[in-house]
Amino acid sequence: SQQGEEDPQALSIQEGENATMNCSYKTSINNLQWYRQNSGRGLVHLILIRSNEREKHSGRLRVTLDTSKKSSSLLITASRAADTASYFCATVFRRGYQKVTFGIGTKLQVIP
Amino acid sequence: NAGVTQTPKFQVLKTGQSMTLQCAQDMNHEYMSWYRQDPGMGLRLIHYSVGAGITDQGEVPNGYNVSRSTTEDFPLRLLSAAPSQTSVYFCASSYSLALSQETQYFGPGTRLLVL
């Protein structure tokens, strides 16, 4: 079964607004990553947050991680039409070999 | 660098046919993996490899074989295609298992339709 579950599954906002997506997971992790997928394309890595970190920023992206609640959030500030895409969280667990598990994604639509 | 390349981009198969999806990377990455993406299911790991000669099963390995004879190539073989294998297949690679090297780079995907 999937480790990560994104919430909401779909989100529609106006350009300029902030978009928040959440990810919950079930087991211990080494790190959590967020990826973006434009329609018909492969996934592109956005940001990685380690299990001992609580918050990380990259440009207009802000990621938080709460290991006690086994959850993470991705905030995109001042959204643009070009941010329209699906966003996935991926949990990484390493015991011997690395296992990366993806959630089902949040489909974000930013309306110009 | 070309990054991660996949061929073919599209393929239509009949039930029972076999085929190989090709994946190659030119970044000298140790870790390579195959995922399938289905609507409402996210990405599910099929097989992965931590280096040449080493492969292991992921979440949904049945019906698929892999091999890793070189660092660069990681082909995925469908032995006898079934309609349930209709999906979009993504290959990904990352540099190593060491900390700060886990970012995965994805190929553009192969769309497979099994009739």
Side-chain angles (χ1 to χ4, degrees):
Chain A
S1 62
Q2 291 295 308
Q3 165 79 312
E5 292 185 9
E6 288 89 343
D7 167 52
Q9 292 192 18
L11 180 61
S12 182
I13 60 173
Q14 296 289 328
E15 202 167 28
E17 293 181 337
N18 295 343
T20 300
M21 289 159 269
N22 303 298
C23 170
S24 59
Y25 57 92
K26 297 174 183 173
T27 64
S28 299
I29 60 171
N30 293 99
N31 67 63
L32 186 144
Q33 303 174 31
W34 285 90
Y35 287 81
R36 164 195 170 125
Q37 183 182 35
N38 287 83
S39 181
R41 302 288 189 93
L43 278 73
V44 175
H45 181 262
L46 294 176
I47 196 165
L48 180 154
I49 186 165
R50 302 202 180 283
S51 58
N52 60 354
E53 296 176 314
R54 292 295 168 259
E55 188 170 312
K56 206 158 182 182
H57 296 256
S58 177
R60 294 184 295 114
L61 305 180
R62 174 179 169 252
V63 169
T64 62
L65 179 65
D66 187 335
T67 53
S68 66
K69 294 181 179 178
K70 292 187 168 58
S71 67
S72 172
S73 68
L74 171 67
L75 169 67
I76 303 174
T77 60
S79 63
R80 305 167 182 169
D83 294 328
T84 294
S86 291
Y87 292 82
F88 295 86
C89 70
T91 53
V92 179
F93 176 68
R94 195 181 306 112
R95 180 186 291 172
Y97 294 147
Q98 173 176 285
K99 287 281 181 82
V100 182
T101 308
F102 284 83
I104 61 173
T106 291
K107 199 165 186 178
L108 173 66
Q109 182 185 24
V110 181
I111 303 167
Chain B
N1 287 352
V4 181
T5 58
Q6 290 183 238
T7 57
K9 289 186 178 179
F10 304 97
Q11 184 71 48
V12 179
L13 291 178
K14 293 182 180 178
T15 297
Q17 286 185 316
S18 63
M19 79 160 293
T20 299
L21 280 64
Q22 301 292 344
C23 174
Q25 52 86 13
D26 61 357
M27 298 174 281
N28 201 30
H29 284 177
E30 293 181 357
Y31 185 87
M32 296 186 75
S33 52
W34 276 102
Y35 296 88
R36 59 177 289 174
Q37 185 177 31
D38 302 291
M41 300 289 289
L43 278 81
R44 291 182 292 170
L45 182 65
I46 304 172
H47 285 284
Y48 65 97
S49 169
V50 299
I54 306 170
T55 64
D56 203 353
Q57 295 181 350
E59 183 184 355
V60 288
N62 291 342
Y64 307 95
N65 273 0
V66 291
S67 60
R68 186 95 179 269
S69 55
T70 66
T71 300
E72 294 78 19
D73 300 297
F74 190 45
L76 178 72
R77 278 180 284 276
L78 279 70
L79 306 174
S80 178
S84 60
Q85 293 179 305
T86 293
S87 187
V88 181
Y89 291 85
F90 289 99
C91 178
S93 71
S94 61
Y95 184 65
S96 78
L97 301 179
L99 288 178
S100 81
Q101 303 289 352
E102 306 98 324
T103 298
Q104 292 202 89
Y105 296 83
F106 281 81
T110 293
R111 293 183 178 274
L112 177 66
L113 173 62
V114 182
L115 302 174

